[in-house]
Amino acid sequence: MTQRYAVLLLPSVNRVYRVAAQHIANTELSALSYAMPDAAISDVQSVLIGSVPYMTFSANPLSTKSIALLSNLSSLYALFKINDSSSDVQFTPITLKRLDRFPNDLLSILKFAGKTNEQFTKLLINLTLLASNYLTEAYSDKDEARNIRLLDPLCGRGTSLNQALMYGFDVAGVEIDRRDFDTYGLFINRWLKDNRLKHQSKTIELKRDNTTQSHRHQITLGEDKESYKAGAVQQIEFVLGDTLHSAEHFKKKSVELIVADLPYGIKHGSQSTKGLNKSPLSLLEQAVPVWATLLKSGGAMGLAWNTYLAKKTELIPLLENAGLTIYEPTLGNDFRHRVDQAIMRDIVIAVRT
Ligand SMILES: C[S@@+](CC[C@H](N)C(=O)[O-])C[C@H]1O[C@@H](n2cnc3c(N)ncnc32)[C@H](O)[C@@H]1O
C-alpha cells in the first residue's frame, strides 16, 4: 500500500532559487526517484500545510536505502510520514541518514564575493552523482573513505570540494587565481586544525626549466587517529594553474565526478588561450575534451553556467563532441533559475559511457 510523505524545504531555498525553489526541489526528487525504483515515487506536489510550503509525494513504505537517498536532497530540511485520517493530518518525523561526515560549518564559514551558493553546489553534485554509475558506491555503508574522487577544474575557493569532502569523497581542484588558491589552502588547513582532524599537509612546487611555475597542495585526512593509521583517509589535492593543463596534474580516467561552476562574466571571467572572455564557450571548447579524458568510464560531468552568456544548445555539442552523453533530466530547462539581474543559471550533466 502506498504511503504519503512530506518534505519540509530548507527556509533558504527561497533566497537561493526565488520563484523556482519548489520546482527545482520537485525536479531533483523526480530525478532521484529513478535511482529508487522500489519506492515507486509518484504524485509529487507542492502544497501548503498550516500555511507552510511542503513538497509531498506518494511512495511504497520507504526502505532504509530510500531514506538515505532522500536525506541528502539538497533542499531538504525534514522528512515526515503523513498519517491522514479523515479528521486529522498527523506528521511522523523520519530519522534522516545523511552522508555528512563533518560539522556543517565546513560549508558555511568561508564567505566571499563570487562564491557558488553551497546549497546549489550540493544540487549540482547530487545530480552529477545520480547521472554516474557510482551512486551505489557513494551510499555504501563502509566506514572508511568512499571510493570516489570529485574534481572541480574551476574550483575557486573550494565550495564544491568542501561539499564532496562532507560526502566522504576524495577531492581534486584546479584554480588559476592565486588569491583563491591561497585562501582555500589557508581555510582548509585552519579548519582541519580547529576541528582536531588528523591530517598531513604538504605544498609541492611544480617546476619547469628549474623555475617554479605553480603549486600543488596535498592533504591527507582521517576522521581520527585510528582511521588515519588504518588508511581510511580522504585526499585533498588542488593545483594553482590553468584548467587547460589539468591532464598534466591528474591521471587519465582517475575521477568519477567532475563538477564546475563556470565563470559568470561578472566577478570571474573564463581564461582560455583566446584571452579573458565573458562567455565560457571558448574556455569550454578547449577544456571539455581535456576534462573528459580524466573521467572514468561511467563517470559524469556536471556544469552550471549563466544562460545569458551561452545557450544550452551551444554547450551540448561541446560535451557530445568530447564523447559524452547528455543526462536526460538536464536536457530541458528544469533547473533554470534567476540568481540576479545579470545571471540566469542552469545545469547540464553528461556521462562518459
Ligand atoms: C564561478 S567561479 C567558481 C567559484 C567556486 N565554485 C567557489 O565557490 O569558490 C569560476 C572560477 O573559474 C576560475 N577560472 C577561470 N578560467 C580559468 C582557467 N582557465 N583555469 C582555471 N581556473 C579558471 C576563476 O578564477 C574562478 O575562480
Side-chain angles (χ1 to χ4, degrees):
M1 214 185 64
T2 60
Q3 167 69 51
R4 197 109 190 113
Y5 294 92
V7 172
L8 178 60
L9 301 182
L10 280 164
S12 52
V13 291
N14 290 322
R15 181 177 46 78
V16 181
Y17 302 120
R18 299 162 194 237
V19 288
Q22 291 270 340
H23 178 69
I24 286 180
N26 292 2
T27 316
E28 187 185 3
L29 176 63
S30 302
L32 182 64
S33 66
Y34 289 113
M36 28 199 293
D38 294 350
I41 287 185
S42 64
D43 197 16
V44 179
Q45 287 183 20
S46 305
V47 290
L48 286 177
I49 303 174
S51 313
V52 177
Y54 286 86
M55 172 169 72
T56 58
F57 61 91
S58 296
N60 290 329
L62 294 174
S63 64
T64 316
K65 185 186 162 213
S66 296
I67 290 174
L69 285 163
L70 286 165
S71 299
N72 292 290
L73 274 176
S74 63
S75 303
L76 181 140
Y77 188 46
L79 176 64
F80 302 94
K81 190 161 119 180
I82 305 177
N83 306 307
D84 197 356
S85 72
S86 52
S87 58
D88 210 3
V89 179
Q90 283 182 346
F91 275 23
T92 308
I94 294 177
T95 305
L96 300 178
K97 195 171 179 286
R98 292 203 160 105
L99 286 172
D100 297 9
R101 298 196 147 196
F102 302 115
N104 199 53
D105 65 356
L106 171 62
L107 308 173
S108 57
I109 289 183
L110 204 54
K111 294 198 182 1
F112 53 95
K115 176 173 179 172
T116 310
N117 174 276
E118 56 258 33
Q119 209 172 300
F120 174 73
T121 301
K122 185 169 177 179
L123 172 70
L124 182 61
I125 294 178
N126 281 353
L127 290 168
T128 310
L129 180 60
L130 267 179
S132 79
N133 286 351
Y134 298 97
L135 188 72
T136 309
E137 179 64 41
Y139 279 83
S140 72
D141 272 337
K142 348 184 235 203
D143 275 340
E144 69 262 35
R146 299 185 173 95
N147 233 344
I148 290 187
R149 179 149 84 141
L150 176 142
L151 166 71
D152 183 344
L154 303 166
C155 71
R157 300 187 184 188
T159 311
S160 57
L161 306 188
N162 290 340
Q163 177 58 56
L165 281 175
M166 268 301 235
Y167 274 180
F169 303 165
D170 291 339
V171 300
V174 182
E175 172 55 49
I176 205 164
D177 185 297
R178 173 103 218 194
R179 257 185 35 173
D180 286 349
F181 174 81
D182 287 344
T183 305
Y184 183 58
L186 285 171
F187 165 75
I188 194 67
N189 278 301
R190 178 83 256 160
W191 188 87
L192 291 168
K193 272 197 195 101
D194 287 350
N195 284 276
R196 298 172 183 276
L197 289 162
K198 174 78 184 147
H199 66 284
Q200 208 163 43
S201 240
K202 62 179 170 191
T203 304
I204 300 162
E205 288 184 20
L206 304 176
K207 292 193 171 175
R208 198 174 276 164
D209 303 329
N210 262 346
T211 42
T212 304
Q213 296 285 320
S214 172
H215 288 91
R216 179 188 188 103
H217 285 316
Q218 233 165 274
I219 304 168
T220 306
L221 81 107
E223 274 184 282
D224 48 44
K225 267 189 192 158
E226 287 68 42
S227 40
Y228 190 93
K229 263 195 196 153
V233 291
Q234 284 174 259
Q235 305 286 350
I236 308 174
E237 291 169 275
F238 53 106
V239 177
L240 173 65
D242 190 334
T243 197
L244 300 179
H245 301 152
S246 298
E248 292 174 17
H249 305 297
F250 302 104
K251 286 198 189 117
K252 281 189 180 161
K253 298 192 178 186
S254 67
V255 302
E256 284 78 10
L257 306 173
I258 292 180
V259 298
D261 184 25
L262 302 169
Y264 292 104
I266 314 284
K267 165 91 175 95
H268 301 110
S270 295
Q271 188 75 48
S272 74
T273 52
K274 293 179 186 156
L276 193 64
N277 218 309
K278 246 176 153 358
S279 160
L281 284 174
S282 50
L283 170 68
L284 280 180
E285 211 176 297
Q286 297 171 40
V288 168
V290 178
W291 298 343
T293 64
L294 304 176
L295 269 184
K296 284 190 181 167
S297 150
M301 185 188 298
L303 305 177
W305 85 104
N306 182 359
T307 59
Y308 289 145
L309 301 180
K311 296 196 187 95
K312 190 176 268 183
T313 48
E314 294 174 299
L315 257 69
I316 286 177
L318 299 180
L319 293 159
E320 289 178 337
N321 290 343
L324 306 175
T325 307
I326 306 296
Y327 175 58
E328 217 157 292
T330 55
L331 264 177
N333 285 323
D334 290 312
F335 294 99
R336 215 157 91 113
H337 59 279
R338 187 173 181 272
V339 178
D340 61 32
Q341 223 179 356
I343 302 175
M344 179 70 86
R345 187 162 54 186
D346 202 356
I347 289 175
V348 67
I349 293 168
V351 185
R352 179 167 184 167
T353 45

